[in-house]
């Protein structure tokens, strides 16, 4: 079983920055895609950004040019650098990972517990 642990959320003023981290742990796994989602109060969970094992990235239109996703494959860790934060970025941010684990290898999809981000003056 692959577990994800997020960190880095908090309260920040509009225009500020935060960096989220998410580390995967377990044994006998390979991660293909890592991603960040967010869920604002009363809304559905939405994809923010994802990154393949080869480093190909995609972003939601709302965060393009402000957020950067990156990963360290040796550490099985994904990061989300969030700049020029806006009040509408306020949400709980969830890490997601997809890959194979175990023997024989089986597909898995894991979620972190979520880290809250509040953008307010």
């Amino acid at each position: 079983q692959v577990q994800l642990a997020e960190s880095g959320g908090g309260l920040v003023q509009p225009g500020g920055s935060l960096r989220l981290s998410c580390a995967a742990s377990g044994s006998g796994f390979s991660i293909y895609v890592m991603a960040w989602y967010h869920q604002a109060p009363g809304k559905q969970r939405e994809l923010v950004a994802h990154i393949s094992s080869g480093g190909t990235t995609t972003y939601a239109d709302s965060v393009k040019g402000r957020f950067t996703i990156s990963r360290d494959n040796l550490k099985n860790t994904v990061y989300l650098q969030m700049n020029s934060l806006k009040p509408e970025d306020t949400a709980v941010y969830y890490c997601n990972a997809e890959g194979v684990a175990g023997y024989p290898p089986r597909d898995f999809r894991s979620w972190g517990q979520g880290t809250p981000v509040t953008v307010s003056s």
Side-chain angles (χ1 to χ4, degrees):
Q1 187 173 2
V2 178
Q3 297 179 330
L4 303 177
E6 300 124 332
S7 60
L11 173 64
V12 64
Q13 292 185 341
S17 298
L18 282 176
R19 188 191 194 212
L20 307 183
S21 300
C22 171
S25 62
S27 62
F29 65 91
S30 294
I31 297 176
Y32 299 151
V33 177
M34 300 190 84
W36 289 96
Y37 288 72
H38 68 194
Q39 186 168 16
K43 295 187 177 181
Q44 291 186 332
R45 191 172 297 187
E46 298 177 333
L47 177 67
V48 176
H50 69 70
I51 183 168
S52 71
S53 56
T56 300
T57 58
T58 59
Y59 295 92
D61 288 342
S62 60
V63 306
K64 283 181 181 177
R66 300 188 297 122
F67 291 11
T68 302
I69 189 171
S70 60
R71 66 188 282 177
D72 184 331
N73 290 330
L74 293 179
K75 295 181 179 180
N76 290 310
T77 299
V78 64
Y79 307 95
L80 186 68
Q81 178 66 44
M82 305 186 293
N83 298 328
S84 302
L85 282 160
K86 304 175 181 179
E88 51 263 44
D89 295 318
T90 295
V92 178
Y93 284 71
Y94 296 91
C95 175
N96 171 267
E98 299 179 31
V100 293
Y103 186 81
R106 295 182 178 180
D107 293 343
F108 76 86
R109 189 179 194 196
S110 294
W111 291 92
Q113 79 285 357
T115 184
V117 171
T118 302
V119 184
S120 175
S121 56

